[in-house]
């Protein structure tokens, strides 16, 4: 958990996010998709100088899934993946846009301490929760923490857009957007 001066905490958080995005971008540059992004699969060094991506059990070459993909952790599935699961589709496959969404859901969790989907009752059946993901029933981003920034809210909303075509085109674009947010958070814009 980052604490202290809000501007400094925000700057550290964004630097960590950029390193996470660069790590995922590196995987994508080799033609692979992770398929199971979640906060626990990113490990930062104690000094926050490096980030390591873990758990490649659902990792596959883009467009060449050697197994039946049934999504990853519910909270971090893209809406189009959740919709495919609900339809019992045998052709569900992660792609760059679904990974951008999942990465956005991870960042949302790190920023707010909660998952981005509004499930309603925690005791709801899995299928109802899956429906909430597929329909994009999102929680509003809370601004009740000390390193809130409206530019970050806009960025997260872009990553978590229901329409995959409205999300950033890939991880390079995500890295660039985070770098811009770092400049903004440092008071240079």
């Amino acid at each position: 958990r980052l604490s202290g001066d809000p501007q400094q905490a925000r700057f550290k958080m964004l630097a960590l996010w950029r390193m996470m995005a660069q790590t995922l971008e590196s995987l994508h540059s080799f033609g692979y998709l992770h398929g199971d992004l979640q906060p626990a699969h990113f490990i930062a060094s104690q000094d926050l100088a490096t980030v390591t991506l873990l758990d490649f059990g659902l990792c596959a070459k883009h467009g060449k899934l050697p197994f039946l993909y049934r999504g990853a952790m519910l909270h971090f599935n893209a809406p189009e993946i959740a919709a495919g699961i609900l339809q019992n589709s045998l052709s569900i496959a992660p792609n760059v846009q679904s990974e951008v969404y999942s990465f956005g859901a991870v960042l949302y969790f790190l920023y707010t301490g909660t998952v981005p989907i509004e499930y309603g009752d925690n005791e709801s059946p899995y299928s109802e929760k899956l429906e909430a993901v597929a329909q994009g029933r999102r929680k509003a981003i809370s601004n009740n923490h000390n390193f809130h920034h409206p530019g970050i809210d806009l960025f997260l909303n872009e990553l978590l857009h229901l329409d995959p075509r409205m999300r950033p085109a890939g991880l390079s674009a995500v890295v660039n957007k985070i770098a811009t947010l770092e400049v903004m958070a440092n008071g240079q814009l």
Side-chain angles (χ1 to χ4, degrees):
R1 198 81 163 122
L2 299 173
S3 60
D5 172 59
Q7 185 174 350
Q8 193 62 24
R10 189 171 38 243
F11 190 72
K12 285 180 183 178
M13 177 190 72
L14 290 167
L16 182 64
W17 286 9
R18 180 180 33 79
M19 287 186 291
M20 291 168 64
Q22 288 169 329
T23 300
L24 186 58
E25 177 188 32
S26 179
L27 179 68
H28 285 196
S29 74
F30 288 101
Y32 286 88
L33 298 167
H34 188 273
D36 189 17
L37 296 175
Q38 53 185 279
H41 292 169
F42 290 93
I43 302 296
S45 61
Q46 191 167 0
D47 63 358
L48 301 179
T50 60
V51 171
T52 303
L53 185 58
L54 306 173
D55 192 349
F56 294 91
L58 295 177
C59 185
K61 195 85 166 154
H62 186 260
K64 296 183 178 161
L65 217 55
F67 52 85
L68 179 62
Y69 184 75
R70 300 305 297 156
M73 184 179 273
L74 175 66
H75 320 302
F76 305 105
N77 274 323
E80 58 274 20
I81 299 291
I85 295 168
L86 282 168
Q87 296 165 2
N88 270 332
S89 173
L90 297 178
S91 62
I92 302 168
N95 58 40
V96 171
Q97 293 315 111
S98 66
E99 292 248 306
V100 166
Y101 180 95
S102 294
F103 185 69
V106 167
L107 298 184
Y108 182 103
F109 181 84
L110 296 175
Y111 186 57
T112 67
T114 185
V115 297
I117 301 301
E118 185 61 62
Y119 293 121
D121 180 7
N122 251 355
E123 302 302 316
S124 299
Y126 180 78
S127 61
E128 287 181 21
K129 291 179 179 181
L130 203 53
E131 187 69 37
V133 174
Q135 292 176 358
R137 284 190 244 148
R138 292 234 340 271
K139 294 177 184 172
I141 298 173
S142 169
N143 62 359
N144 65 356
H145 47 79
N146 66 351
F147 49 92
H148 175 261
H149 189 280
I152 295 171
D153 296 0
L154 292 171
F155 169 66
L156 291 175
N157 284 328
E158 187 179 354
L159 296 179
L160 296 170
H161 203 286
L162 183 61
D163 183 348
R165 298 168 299 180
M166 300 304 290
R167 298 176 201 147
L171 267 294
S172 295
V174 172
V175 169
N176 291 337
K177 287 176 181 284
I178 294 171
T180 300
L181 285 169
E182 285 180 282
V183 172
M184 289 172 58
N186 203 25
Q188 297 176 3
L189 280 183

